[in-house]
Amino acid sequence: MLGKLFKHEVKATGRTFLPMYGALLILTIFTKMALTIGAPDFFTDDIATGPVAEVILGITFTLYVIVITALCVMTFVVIIQRFYKNLFTDEGYLMFSLPVKTWELILSKLLVGLMWSVVCCLMLVISIFILSFGSFSMMEVVQDINMAYTDFNTQFGMSLNIILFELFLCMLVSAISSILLIYASISIGQLFNQHRVLASFGAYIVITIVLQIIVSIILVAVPLLANLDILFSGIDGIKAAQWFINGTTLINLALCVMFYFCTQYIMEKHLNLE
Amino acid sequence: MIILSAKNLTKSFGKKIALSNVNVEIPRGRIIGLLGPNGSGKSTFLKLATGLLVPTEGEITIDGAIPGVETKAKTSYLAERTYLNGWMRAEDIIAFFEDFYEDFNRIKAENMLKELNINPSDRLKTMSKGTKEKVQLILIMSRSAELYLLDEPIGGVDPAARDYILNTIITNYKENASVIISTHLIADIEQVLDDIVFISKGEITMTSTVDEIREKYNKSVDGLFREVFKC
């Protein structure tokens, strides 16, 4: 059933995203054309273009920035809106009478939200790649990357891949935990009989503030209680960075579990559709 | 054989008690009218049976099981409100039901749409409220479920369509299935009911067969309802 939920979720959200990705691609190509014709040396020299080309470039760039902003905002909005509208408004009557488990409902929404976030990033990378195409040589880029790997290896005695992977993991887990925080906040809002959207916002703000306070306390308390100089004296900078990255990942992972079970508990025990 | 059973079923929302200590057993193969004034707990009862709500106290079981994936697969619930996505076409929502309910019969649904002159490729947001309700009822009745829970199924549709819908309800369910219809439009559905459950202020005040009412009180169900719930 998870697969079917996933499929229908993609269908329901794709109709918002695909046109936007289409618009971004078309606009990217248009901007690229305008650049190539109007300011061929844009990436290398100081811009010296005519007034007409400047206006056209100005307009296309503004449009480009607007579409990119819209895309990022939309991704965020759709993640929230699908969870709230599809599960906690009238549509919830349908979703909660389906023969599926609560965790399947949550997970299908989470996975699709995550998928669109990743696709959104990929589209931005592709778009920027197209825009800057021709202003650099692929050969040089590959050489630079290889250089970075060997430099890193000689300096720190470990592969750059390890750090990159840990960074990626950290970002992924923190993305999941921020989505689950939204889900938990929306669910907490449902516990109220009135002003549920407002209550959801309130829950989000309160949870965020509480977490901030806890983090601040830890950051102040740990150096006071433990002598970090001794702990880190034998450790180089890169090890410390690893500690930091992986620590963040672990804390976020714990938060994910907490937010997830909070959401599931409310949906199973205290569901109260309007 | 009992399809639905409630024992000491209580549901409260904060301080407000919506259902209080309800005990009822619904056998298979019957059409039951769940009748009561507005706010008497009809919808709450059906939501508890569907698993949209969790009891505060007591329990409700469908075919012996507490509401969950297993019971949702064999109960067909018509919500009091239209829950269909506006952007979907009737055919999209048919595909949706076909995916999630094994007992869904696509041909039956398509035939009923045709008979009520509803175009499957129309988007739901272009349909009138009554038409949306018809689509929803068609979907619900195109399943061969074991228990149908219909919350106000004929509230928003015209009298001609009401007859068609009632006919659909009584001809479409399996012999060992039961249908619970909650409504206050009693006169319209009286002729299809086998049993009635009167509910008032969250408590069940009377359960009886329709024949018994006619014999004992020499009244129609509608007449008795007006008398019992006189304001």
Side-chain angles (χ1 to χ4, degrees):
Chain A
M1 284 300 182
L2 185 63
K4 288 175 182 169
L5 283 171
F6 188 84
K7 183 183 98 183
H8 286 280
E9 189 63 23
V10 171
K11 232 179 174 177
T13 45
R15 66 194 188 92
T16 316
F17 285 120
L18 295 183
M20 293 213 65
Y21 294 149
L24 178 65
L25 275 185
I26 290 169
L27 205 62
T28 306
I29 292 166
F30 190 77
T31 312
K32 179 68 187 166
M33 272 162 54
L35 265 181
T36 317
I37 297 163
D41 301 326
F42 186 78
F43 284 99
T44 44
D45 289 328
D46 292 335
I47 317 164
T49 47
V52 178
E54 222 162 69
V55 169
I56 295 176
L57 269 178
I59 293 172
T60 47
F61 262 128
T62 313
L63 274 177
Y64 184 73
V65 171
I66 289 175
V67 167
I68 283 186
T69 316
L71 198 60
C72 297
V73 173
M74 278 302 282
T75 308
F76 187 63
V77 168
V78 168
I79 287 174
I80 299 173
Q81 182 243 14
R82 277 300 293 176
F83 188 79
Y84 171 71
K85 192 151 176 282
N86 193 236
L87 295 179
F88 291 117
T89 63
D90 287 355
E91 291 170 30
Y93 282 85
L94 175 63
M95 298 314 287
F96 282 104
S97 49
L98 293 177
V100 297
K101 292 236 161 56
T102 311
W103 66 262
E104 291 177 311
L105 286 175
I106 304 173
L107 197 61
S108 64
K109 296 266 184 289
L110 177 67
L111 288 177
V112 173
L114 215 54
M115 184 192 86
W116 288 123
S117 308
V118 172
V119 173
C120 180
C121 293
L122 277 180
M123 289 301 295
L124 293 187
V125 170
I126 290 172
S127 172
I128 290 166
F129 180 79
I130 292 176
L131 269 193
S132 54
F133 193 76
S135 63
F136 58 86
S137 92
M138 276 314 271
M139 278 278 278
E140 277 171 28
V141 172
V142 171
Q143 275 172 355
D144 283 351
I145 291 174
N146 281 335
M147 275 272 281
Y149 269 88
T150 35
D151 278 358
F152 192 86
N153 210 348
T154 46
Q155 198 176 347
F156 300 110
M158 64 190 281
S159 169
L160 184 59
N161 277 332
I162 295 174
I163 288 283
L164 286 181
F165 175 74
E166 285 173 349
L167 259 179
F168 170 77
L169 207 65
C170 183
M171 273 157 54
L172 186 73
V173 174
S174 81
I176 294 174
S177 103
S178 35
I179 295 178
L180 283 172
L181 168 59
I182 294 170
Y183 288 179
S185 306
I186 293 175
S187 306
I188 290 170
Q190 303 309 305
L191 294 173
F192 293 81
N193 284 326
Q194 286 166 359
H195 311 300
R196 291 179 170 181
V197 175
L198 203 66
S200 301
F201 271 110
Y204 185 88
I205 291 167
V206 169
I207 294 174
T208 314
I209 290 176
V210 169
L211 286 179
Q212 282 296 332
I213 292 173
I214 293 174
V215 168
S216 313
I217 290 174
I218 291 174
L219 285 182
V220 174
V222 168
L224 284 178
L225 296 174
N227 195 340
L228 288 185
D229 288 342
I230 296 172
L231 193 62
F232 283 121
S233 61
I235 299 176
D236 48 27
I238 198 71
K239 274 277 181 302
Q242 268 186 304
W243 269 84
F244 183 72
I245 294 170
N246 294 333
T248 311
T249 307
L250 279 178
I251 290 170
N252 269 321
L253 203 62
L255 289 178
C256 284
V257 172
M258 207 173 78
F259 296 148
Y260 171 81
F261 280 106
C262 169
T263 309
Q264 167 153 322
Y265 174 78
I266 292 172
M267 280 165 78
E268 276 181 353
K269 301 290 177 201
H270 295 284
L271 185 67
N272 183 13
L273 301 174
E274 279 176 276
Chain B
M1 275 293 276
I2 302 296
I3 182 74
L4 182 151
S5 148
K7 290 192 191 84
N8 305 322
L9 185 65
T10 301
K11 177 71 192 177
S12 51
F13 300 102
K15 279 179 190 151
K16 213 183 112 217
I17 294 170
L19 276 184
S20 145
N21 212 19
V22 165
N23 288 288
V24 72
E25 289 198 327
I26 307 282
R28 285 177 179 271
R30 310 288 285 179
I31 300 185
I32 300 103
L34 184 63
L35 312 174
N38 295 326
S40 53
K42 303 189 294 281
S43 291
T44 304
F45 181 79
L46 294 183
K47 282 188 196 173
L48 284 163
T50 314
L52 288 177
L53 292 176
V54 179
T56 310
E57 268 171 59
E59 65 165 21
I60 187 163
T61 53
I62 311 294
D63 207 11
I66 284 171
V69 173
E70 191 193 332
T71 70
K72 286 175 185 177
K74 50 187 169 190
T75 51
S76 196
Y77 168 66
L78 180 75
E80 62 191 316
R81 37 181 93 204
T82 47
Y83 53 46
L84 302 174
N85 278 312
W87 57 271
M88 280 185 155
R89 301 167 196 280
E91 59 200 4
D92 294 332
I93 189 80
I94 285 180
F96 187 91
F97 266 66
E98 200 177 28
D99 257 359
F100 286 104
Y101 296 111
E102 278 177 25
D103 58 6
F104 185 77
N105 185 336
R106 167 185 277 273
I107 295 161
K108 220 180 211 176
E110 284 170 346
N111 283 341
M112 283 195 264
L113 283 178
K114 209 184 283 170
E115 277 170 342
L116 287 175
N117 292 319
I118 299 169
N119 186 350
S121 56
D122 278 356
R123 284 185 196 280
L124 286 149
K125 68 172 162 217
T126 65
M127 295 177 184
S128 72
K129 192 167 176 286
T131 310
K132 267 189 245 173
E133 286 186 17
K134 286 179 201 168
V135 171
Q136 210 158 292
L137 195 78
I138 286 171
L139 292 164
I140 296 302
M141 294 314 296
S142 298
R143 290 182 53 197
S144 74
E146 289 175 42
L147 180 65
Y148 296 87
L149 303 163
L150 313 179
D151 202 352
E152 300 284 359
I154 55 173
V157 298
D158 54 278
R162 270 181 207 178
D163 288 343
Y164 177 85
I165 284 167
L166 286 177
N167 201 34
T168 314
I169 292 172
I170 51 175
T171 49
N172 269 300
Y173 76 102
K174 294 187 296 188
E175 247 171 46
N176 65 342
S178 276
V179 185
I180 302 181
I181 305 176
S182 107
T183 187
H184 47 252
L185 298 166
I186 301 165
D188 280 315
I189 65 153
E190 189 168 345
Q191 78 268 15
V192 304
L193 295 181
D194 296 318
D195 302 319
I196 59 110
V197 174
F198 275 2
I199 182 167
S200 171
K201 291 174 193 148
E203 288 176 35
I204 288 184
T205 51
M206 180 196 278
T207 52
S208 163
T209 68
V210 171
D211 295 340
E212 251 171 36
I213 287 180
R214 296 211 177 103
E215 275 168 32
K216 220 154 118 189
Y217 302 94
N218 200 17
K219 275 198 178 76
S220 67
V221 176
D222 190 45
L224 183 69
F225 183 87
R226 282 167 200 268
E227 198 181 288
V228 171
F229 294 110
K230 199 169 180 183
C231 299

